[in-house]
Amino acid sequence: MRNIKTLYLTVLKKYPTCTQSVQAGILMGLGDQIAQNFLIDNSKSINYARTMQFTGIGLCISGPTTTMWYRILDKYIGSKGHSVVIKKVVCDQMLFAPSFVGVLLVAIGICQEKNIEELKIKLSNEYKDILLNNYKLWPMVQLVNFSFVPLQYQTLVVQSVALLWNSYISYRTSLDK
Protein backbone atom coordinates (compact mmCIF):
# COMPACT_ATOMS: atom_id res chain seq x y z
CA MET A 1 0.00 0.00 0.00
CA ARG A 2 2.88 2.35 0.79
CA ASN A 3 4.27 1.77 -2.72
CA ILE A 4 0.96 2.77 -4.29
CA LYS A 5 0.83 5.95 -2.21
CA THR A 6 4.45 6.78 -3.06
CA LEU A 7 3.81 6.15 -6.75
CA TYR A 8 0.66 8.30 -6.65
CA LEU A 9 2.45 11.19 -4.94
CA THR A 10 5.35 10.99 -7.39
CA VAL A 11 3.08 10.97 -10.43
CA LEU A 12 0.88 13.70 -8.93
CA LYS A 13 3.91 15.94 -8.40
CA LYS A 14 5.36 15.30 -11.86
CA TYR A 15 2.07 15.28 -13.85
CA PRO A 16 -0.58 16.99 -11.69
CA THR A 17 -3.22 17.76 -14.32
CA CYS A 18 -2.89 14.39 -16.05
CA THR A 19 -3.00 12.49 -12.75
CA GLN A 20 -6.03 14.40 -11.51
CA SER A 21 -7.76 13.96 -14.87
CA VAL A 22 -7.24 10.19 -14.77
CA GLN A 23 -8.57 9.95 -11.20
CA ALA A 24 -11.58 12.09 -12.19
CA GLY A 25 -12.27 9.79 -15.13
CA ILE A 26 -12.06 6.68 -12.98
CA LEU A 27 -14.32 8.15 -10.31
CA MET A 28 -16.90 9.43 -12.83
CA GLY A 29 -17.03 6.01 -14.47
CA LEU A 30 -17.41 4.40 -11.07
CA GLY A 31 -20.21 6.85 -10.24
CA ASP A 32 -22.04 5.77 -13.38
CA GLN A 33 -21.59 2.12 -12.44
CA ILE A 34 -23.04 2.81 -8.98
CA ALA A 35 -26.04 4.48 -10.63
CA GLN A 36 -26.55 1.64 -13.08
CA ASN A 37 -26.19 -1.08 -10.46
CA PHE A 38 -28.12 0.48 -7.58
CA LEU A 39 -30.26 3.41 -8.73
CA ILE A 40 -31.53 2.56 -12.20
CA ASP A 41 -33.92 -0.25 -13.14
CA ASN A 42 -32.04 -3.50 -12.46
CA SER A 43 -33.86 -5.37 -15.25
CA LYS A 44 -31.73 -3.51 -17.81
CA SER A 45 -28.26 -4.79 -18.62
CA ILE A 46 -25.25 -2.68 -17.71
CA ASN A 47 -24.43 -0.10 -20.37
CA TYR A 48 -20.63 -0.16 -20.46
CA ALA A 49 -20.51 2.33 -23.34
CA ARG A 50 -22.25 4.87 -21.10
CA THR A 51 -19.74 4.17 -18.33
CA MET A 52 -16.91 4.82 -20.78
CA GLN A 53 -18.60 8.07 -21.81
CA PHE A 54 -18.76 9.19 -18.17
CA THR A 55 -15.13 8.16 -17.77
CA GLY A 56 -14.23 10.22 -20.83
CA ILE A 57 -16.09 13.26 -19.49
CA GLY A 58 -14.14 12.98 -16.24
CA LEU A 59 -10.85 12.47 -18.04
CA CYS A 60 -11.27 15.22 -20.63
CA ILE A 61 -13.55 17.77 -18.97
CA SER A 62 -14.07 17.40 -15.22
CA GLY A 63 -10.53 16.53 -14.14
CA PRO A 64 -8.62 19.16 -16.12
CA THR A 65 -11.25 21.85 -15.54
CA THR A 66 -11.44 21.48 -11.76
CA THR A 67 -7.67 21.20 -11.45
CA MET A 68 -7.15 24.43 -13.39
CA TRP A 69 -10.00 26.16 -11.56
CA TYR A 70 -8.48 25.45 -8.15
CA ARG A 71 -5.10 26.74 -9.36
CA ILE A 72 -6.76 29.93 -10.60
CA LEU A 73 -8.55 30.43 -7.29
CA ASP A 74 -5.31 29.83 -5.40
CA LYS A 75 -3.33 32.21 -7.60
CA TYR A 76 -5.78 35.11 -7.58
CA ILE A 77 -7.51 34.76 -4.22
CA GLY A 78 -4.84 33.08 -2.09
CA SER A 79 -4.54 29.93 -0.05
CA LYS A 80 -4.83 30.84 3.62
CA GLY A 81 -7.24 32.60 5.89
CA HIS A 82 -10.94 32.53 6.64
CA SER A 83 -11.82 35.35 4.23
CA VAL A 84 -9.87 33.60 1.45
CA VAL A 85 -11.86 30.40 2.00
CA ILE A 86 -15.17 32.26 1.90
CA LYS A 87 -14.16 34.10 -1.28
CA LYS A 88 -13.13 30.81 -2.91
CA VAL A 89 -16.40 29.10 -1.99
CA VAL A 90 -18.45 32.06 -3.25
CA CYS A 91 -16.50 32.20 -6.53
CA ASP A 92 -16.74 28.43 -6.90
CA GLN A 93 -20.47 28.33 -6.35
CA MET A 94 -21.45 31.54 -8.14
CA LEU A 95 -19.11 31.32 -11.15
CA PHE A 96 -17.88 27.76 -11.62
CA ALA A 97 -20.85 25.64 -10.52
CA PRO A 98 -23.52 27.20 -12.77
CA SER A 99 -21.34 27.01 -15.87
CA PHE A 100 -19.92 23.58 -15.08
CA VAL A 101 -23.36 22.03 -14.52
CA GLY A 102 -24.36 23.35 -17.95
CA VAL A 103 -21.20 22.01 -19.60
CA LEU A 104 -21.67 18.64 -17.91
CA LEU A 105 -25.30 18.33 -19.04
CA VAL A 106 -24.38 19.27 -22.61
CA ALA A 107 -21.48 16.78 -22.66
CA ILE A 108 -23.73 14.00 -21.36
CA GLY A 109 -26.42 14.98 -23.88
CA ILE A 110 -23.91 14.82 -26.72
CA CYS A 111 -22.85 11.36 -25.52
CA GLN A 112 -26.54 10.41 -25.60
CA GLU A 113 -26.59 11.57 -29.24
CA LYS A 114 -29.04 14.40 -28.63
CA ASN A 115 -29.45 17.11 -31.25
CA ILE A 116 -29.48 20.85 -30.48
CA GLU A 117 -33.21 20.96 -29.77
CA GLU A 118 -33.01 17.92 -27.49
CA LEU A 119 -30.03 19.49 -25.68
CA LYS A 120 -32.09 22.64 -25.09
CA ILE A 121 -34.93 20.53 -23.67
CA LYS A 122 -32.47 18.58 -21.50
CA LEU A 123 -31.03 21.81 -20.10
CA SER A 124 -34.51 23.25 -19.59
CA ASN A 125 -35.72 20.11 -17.77
CA GLU A 126 -32.66 19.30 -15.64
CA TYR A 127 -30.39 22.30 -15.16
CA LYS A 128 -32.27 24.20 -12.45
CA ASP A 129 -32.97 21.13 -10.29
CA ILE A 130 -29.41 19.82 -10.56
CA LEU A 131 -27.95 23.25 -9.78
CA LEU A 132 -30.21 23.63 -6.73
CA ASN A 133 -29.13 20.18 -5.53
CA ASN A 134 -25.54 21.26 -6.15
CA TYR A 135 -26.06 24.06 -3.65
CA LYS A 136 -27.22 21.56 -1.02
CA LEU A 137 -23.93 19.66 -1.14
CA TRP A 138 -20.99 21.50 -2.64
CA PRO A 139 -20.70 24.71 -0.58
CA MET A 140 -20.02 22.68 2.59
CA VAL A 141 -17.67 20.32 0.76
CA GLN A 142 -15.74 23.25 -0.66
CA LEU A 143 -15.65 25.03 2.68
CA VAL A 144 -13.84 22.03 4.16
CA ASN A 145 -11.77 21.46 1.01
CA PHE A 146 -10.49 25.04 0.77
CA SER A 147 -9.96 25.29 4.53
CA PHE A 148 -7.98 22.12 5.22
CA VAL A 149 -6.82 20.44 2.01
CA PRO A 150 -3.59 21.39 0.23
CA LEU A 151 -4.07 22.54 -3.37
CA GLN A 152 -2.61 19.39 -4.94
CA TYR A 153 -5.22 17.21 -3.21
CA GLN A 154 -8.31 19.41 -3.67
CA THR A 155 -9.33 17.77 -6.94
CA LEU A 156 -9.02 14.32 -5.35
CA VAL A 157 -11.23 15.37 -2.43
CA VAL A 158 -13.84 16.83 -4.77
CA GLN A 159 -13.76 13.82 -7.09
CA SER A 160 -14.10 11.46 -4.12
CA VAL A 161 -17.22 13.26 -2.90
CA ALA A 162 -18.31 13.50 -6.53
CA LEU A 163 -18.45 9.73 -6.66
CA LEU A 164 -21.91 10.02 -5.09
CA TRP A 165 -22.69 13.22 -6.98
CA ASN A 166 -21.79 11.55 -10.28
CA SER A 167 -24.09 8.66 -9.40
CA TYR A 168 -26.88 11.20 -8.95
CA ILE A 169 -26.01 12.96 -12.24
CA SER A 170 -25.88 9.62 -14.05
CA TYR A 171 -29.26 8.66 -12.61
CA ARG A 172 -30.87 12.02 -13.42
CA THR A 173 -29.57 12.17 -16.97
CA SER A 174 -30.65 8.58 -17.66
CA LEU A 175 -34.30 9.29 -16.91
CA ASP A 176 -35.10 10.94 -20.24
CA LYS A 177 -33.06 8.64 -22.51
Side-chain angles (χ1 to χ4, degrees), residues 10-20:
T10 301
V11 173
L12 179 63
K13 186 174 183 176
K14 193 168 182 178
Y15 309 104
T17 304
C18 183
T19 303
Q20 292 170 336

Side-chain angles (χ1 to χ4, degrees), residues 102 105-106 118-128:
L105 290 175
V106 168
E118 291 170 323
L119 286 172
K120 288 178 185 176
I121 292 168
K122 181 177 208 47
L123 284 169
S124 176
N125 291 343
E126 297 177 12
Y127 179 83
K128 183 179 176 184

Side-chain angles (χ1 to χ4, degrees), residues 9 13 20 50 59 64 75 89 92 94 101 153 156 165:
L9 293 175
K13 186 174 183 176
Q20 292 170 336
R50 189 177 97 180
L59 180 67
K75 179 178 180 179
V89 171
D92 188 65
M94 295 297 128
V101 166
Y153 302 117
L156 177 60
W165 177 253

Side-chain angles (χ1 to χ4, degrees), residues 129-142:
D129 194 39
I130 290 173
L131 185 62
L132 290 174
N133 284 324
N134 167 87
Y135 291 137
K136 295 174 186 175
L137 171 67
W138 289 108
M140 291 307 296
V141 170
Q142 293 296 46

Side-chain angles (χ1 to χ4, degrees), residues 39-73:
L39 301 176
I40 299 171
D41 183 10
N42 287 339
S43 66
K44 295 180 183 178
S45 62
I46 299 297
N47 183 341
Y48 293 105
R50 189 177 97 180
T51 299
M52 293 311 298
Q53 291 167 344
F54 267 82
T55 301
I57 291 169
L59 180 67
C60 299
I61 298 172
S62 182
T65 304
T66 55
T67 299
M68 289 302 173
W69 174 245
Y70 298 149
R71 287 185 191 156
I72 289 167
L73 288 177

Side-chain angles (χ1 to χ4, degrees), residues 83-111:
S83 65
V84 166
V85 170
I86 298 301
K87 288 176 190 175
K88 282 183 169 183
V89 171
V90 168
C91 284
D92 188 65
Q93 294 304 302
M94 295 297 128
L95 300 174
F96 185 78
S99 57
F100 189 73
V101 166
V103 167
L104 188 59
L105 290 175
V106 168
I108 292 167
I110 289 169
C111 289

Side-chain angles (χ1 to χ4, degrees), residues 21 23 28 57 81 131 134 139 148 151 153 167 171:
S21 296
Q23 74 193 15
M28 277 197 77
I57 291 169
L131 185 62
N134 167 87
F148 302 110
L151 178 62
Y153 302 117
S167 299
Y171 170 72

